[in-house]
Every structure is written in C-alpha cells, then in structure tokens.
Amino acid sequence: MEDEEAAAADNGLTPGRAPTINDIARIAGVSKKTVSRVINQSPFVKADTREKVEAVIADLGFSPDPQARGLAFRRSFLIGMIYDNPSPNYVVNMQQGILDAVRGSGMELVVHPCDRTTDDFMTNVRGFAVRQKLFGAVLPPSVSEDERVASMLNEVGCPYVRIASVSLDAPEHMVVTNDHVGAAEAARHLVELGHRRIGMITGPDLFRSTHERGDGFRRALSEAGVTLGEDMVVRGAYTFDSGVAAARELLSRKVRPTAIFAGNDEMAIGVYQAARDMGIDVPFDLSIVGFDDAPMSSRIWPTLTTVKLPIRDMGRMAAEKLLARSRGLDPAKLEQPEVIPTLIARDSSAPPRR
C-alpha cells in the first residue's frame, strides 16, 4: 500500500485518491481506449504497449470497476450456467470446469437453476439472460437440448455453448459428448465378463442422454448376441432414490439380472443400497456399472465400475469457447473439442457366479 501511495505521488496523483483509467492513460502515454483494451485482454494491442500499461496498472494498484466495465460494453462480465439437472455431482463438476476457464479473465460465473417442465420456463430463462446482460451462457443437458432456449438466446444477442450427447448446432456452439460410445463400452464389458441376464436403469425421457446411452447399450448387446428384455429395463430419474427403487424392482424379478447398467452414477449407487438391503453381494451376485465417473464412484466399496465422462473438462471447454470471443477470436475457426467417454473398470463388476 505504501509503495502504491508513493507511486501515486510521484505521478502527480492526490494521496488517498484511487487512480482512474484516465490517470493510467496519461501516465502510460496512451489513449483511454488502449487502456480499456488492455484491461479487457484484447489481442489488438502491441506487446510493448500492453507491458507498459500493465506496469502502470500494477505500480498504482489500479483495479477496474466491474460495473463500470459492464456499462461501457452494455453487457456484464458474467457467464451464466443455465441448468436443469437432478444430479448435484454433475452440477458441481460443471461449475468447477467453468471456473477453471474464467479464472484470471475478469469474468465471473453466475448459475441459474430452472425447471423445463414448468409453464414459465422460457420466460424465466429469458428474464435471467436479459436482466444479467450475460456475456455468454453455458447450457448443460437437458437445457442444451431445448431448441427454444438456443433461439431465444440468439434473439437477445447472448452467445451460448451447448453441451450435449450429439451435435445439435454449429460447431462453435457445441461440446459433443458422444454418450452412446461410452454406453456401448459398458455393454461390451459386461458381456466379456460372461453376463447374459442384464438389467438397465435409464434416465428421464426429457434428457437426450437417456436415449443415447440406452441406444448405445442396446446396440452393443445386440451385436454381441445378447437380448435386453423389456422386463429388464426400468425408468429412473438420474437420482439416488430412483436408483434404489428401480433396482429393487429389477432384483425382485423371478429371474433377476446378474448385472445392472445404471444411466448415471447417482442411480448406480442407489443400486448398491438396494442390493445391500436385499442381501445381494456386489459384485459376485450382482455386477454394477454406472456412467459419469463422479468422485464418489472411486470412494465407495466396492469401487464402482463406470463410464468416465470428463464433466469438469466439458465445462471448461464450453467456457473457453465463450472467452474466445472476448479475445477477438472466431470460435468457428478454433479447434473444436470432442469428448469420447471411456470405461473405468473397478471392483463392482466381475464374472457371474456359475
């Protein structure tokens, strides 16, 4: 603080008065617009000019007012995450990925939970985007799968990136996760272990991932000559409780499955609970495979075999596409990342008892 006050005095500033962008421009010998470009990390500033301005900023301890920046640009420095997802692990991991990307950028993350099944869903989301003057929005599933949201954000001039199991938009607006690939790996893993009576707990119909994971799993079983009977498929809701209920239903069948594939890890952990309550040993009486590789999957016992979906990386990739715009880059010309899920074999899957 003393160094900053001394620097202010040396540059003709009144002691105790916070320096302004005009002061920075005068001392650095550049225009106010150039200082603004440096603050906002524009690529259109020469390296030596940038270094000179940044040195003055550091010397005086100047901190730009975020509200003033937002007013100047007629939008805030906020990236919104708009989500309708019942899995808390998914939501937290996605937030962490976005924060990884925005750290040091001058942007901040603001989250907006919503419910796609309500009558006021679109009014609610539009109000949020307009009210916050969002710099951009990250849309995880299932909000990402709603064409009305993408159209509305285009209409109000809010850039967005959608995260979804298949491509739904131009590449610069997408992070594609290829869920069917991971589900197929899960099916092949169980077949290779020797399982033939296999159950599946799916997610809610509203999610595209439910259908992609289910189709990928069925297709791989069929290619291996294994039929997934309709009585072996139970609908879940991507929640722990729904996993418990669905597993109890499957494990009460006269001929019960020797393995269950759950559409996400929350439901897979629910299967553990149901098996424990019914005295069924995991993995020797029942193999369990999940999807997502949530942190809990490697901390429970037996550790959960699951399909790794790098959710944190997905959030980072989406935010980085938005940030490219702030740096004067064209997202359409950047390398377009694509996520390929992979199976992580752990202790919850084993050959069935003979």
Side-chain angles (χ1 to χ4, degrees):
M1 180 65 73
E2 291 179 0
D3 291 342
E4 291 168 4
E5 290 177 354
D10 289 344
N11 286 287
L13 302 183
T14 304
R17 179 175 72 82
T20 67
I21 194 171
N22 290 322
D23 295 324
I24 303 299
R26 175 179 59 79
I27 296 165
V30 298
S31 69
K32 182 178 174 181
K33 181 179 288 187
T34 297
V35 176
S36 179
R37 285 174 174 167
V38 171
I39 291 170
N40 290 294
Q41 301 182 344
S42 167
F44 306 114
V45 180
K46 292 181 180 178
D48 56 344
T49 302
R50 181 184 301 279
E51 289 174 7
K52 181 167 59 175
V53 172
E54 288 177 343
V56 174
I57 288 173
D59 199 30
L60 298 181
F62 173 75
S63 179
D65 179 354
Q67 284 191 320
R69 291 173 68 196
L71 288 171
F73 282 76
R74 296 187 180 179
R75 69 171 59 165
S76 72
F77 284 75
L78 298 175
I79 288 179
M81 174 179 155
I82 305 171
Y83 71 92
D84 176 11
N85 194 306
S87 171
N89 281 316
Y90 189 102
V91 171
V92 169
N93 283 342
M94 182 67 62
Q95 290 180 34
Q96 288 174 334
I98 297 170
L99 290 171
D100 288 342
V102 304
R103 192 169 291 114
S105 70
M107 299 287 175
E108 301 291 345
L109 170 65
V110 57
V111 298
H112 185 71
C114 54
D115 183 349
R116 284 182 65 198
T117 65
T118 60
D119 293 338
D120 64 349
F121 165 67
M122 284 302 301
T123 303
N124 180 294
V125 173
R126 183 189 182 99
F128 169 70
V130 172
R131 193 167 55 249
Q132 298 294 337
K133 297 187 175 76
L134 293 179
F135 175 83
V138 173
L139 309 177
S142 68
V143 170
S144 64
E145 299 154 4
D146 196 317
E147 293 301 329
R148 297 174 300 166
V149 175
S151 297
M152 179 274 293
L153 291 175
N154 271 326
E155 182 184 326
V156 301
C158 177
Y160 63 86
V161 175
R162 306 160 78 173
I163 301 170
S165 51
V166 294
S167 182
L168 303 170
D169 210 323
E172 60 267 30
H173 291 295
M174 290 297 311
V175 172
V176 180
T177 59
N178 297 290
D179 292 32
H180 67 282
V181 174
E185 274 205 56
R188 286 190 287 268
H189 172 70
L190 291 174
V191 170
E192 287 167 4
L193 287 173
H195 292 279
R196 296 297 180 269
R197 295 197 313 277
I198 300 172
M200 178 169 69
I201 303 174
T202 70
D205 265 338
L206 192 62
F207 283 69
R208 182 68 175 264
S209 60
T210 292
H211 305 285
E212 291 297 315
R213 295 175 189 185
D215 291 347
F217 191 74
R218 284 187 174 91
R219 188 162 52 249
L221 288 183
S222 178
E223 289 170 357
V226 176
T227 300
L228 180 65
E230 285 308 309
D231 63 330
M232 286 290 166
V233 180
V234 178
R235 177 79 61 213
Y238 280 163
T239 63
F240 171 82
D241 288 340
S242 71
V244 175
R248 283 177 178 157
E249 186 175 337
L250 286 170
L251 296 172
S252 297
R253 300 276 192 259
K254 186 174 181 180
V255 179
R256 72 187 187 205
T258 61
I260 292 177
F261 169 60
N264 76 346
D265 290 345
E266 296 273 341
M267 296 192 299
I269 294 171
V271 179
Y272 276 67
Q273 182 66 53
R276 186 178 300 111
D277 292 346
M278 300 172 74
I280 296 171
D281 184 86
V282 177
F284 301 111
D285 294 326
L286 178 70
S287 285
I288 304 172
V289 178
F291 202 110
D292 285 343
D293 194 30
M296 186 60 69
S297 63
S298 61
R299 297 170 187 168
I300 58 174
W301 183 257
T303 54
L304 176 64
T305 293
T306 186
V307 176
K308 181 177 180 61
L309 194 63
I311 297 166
R312 184 167 179 163
D313 288 343
M314 289 151 42
R316 176 184 54 76
M317 291 174 187
E320 284 176 347
K321 286 196 174 192
L322 292 174
L323 290 173
R325 300 174 186 274
S326 72
R327 295 166 184 149
L329 305 175
D330 181 355
K333 295 179 181 177
L334 301 177
E335 181 181 351
Q336 302 299 327
E338 192 168 32
V339 178
I340 304 297
T342 55
L343 184 84
I344 307 295
R346 297 195 179 103
D347 298 301
S348 68
S349 55
R353 287 191 195 273
R354 298 298 179 187

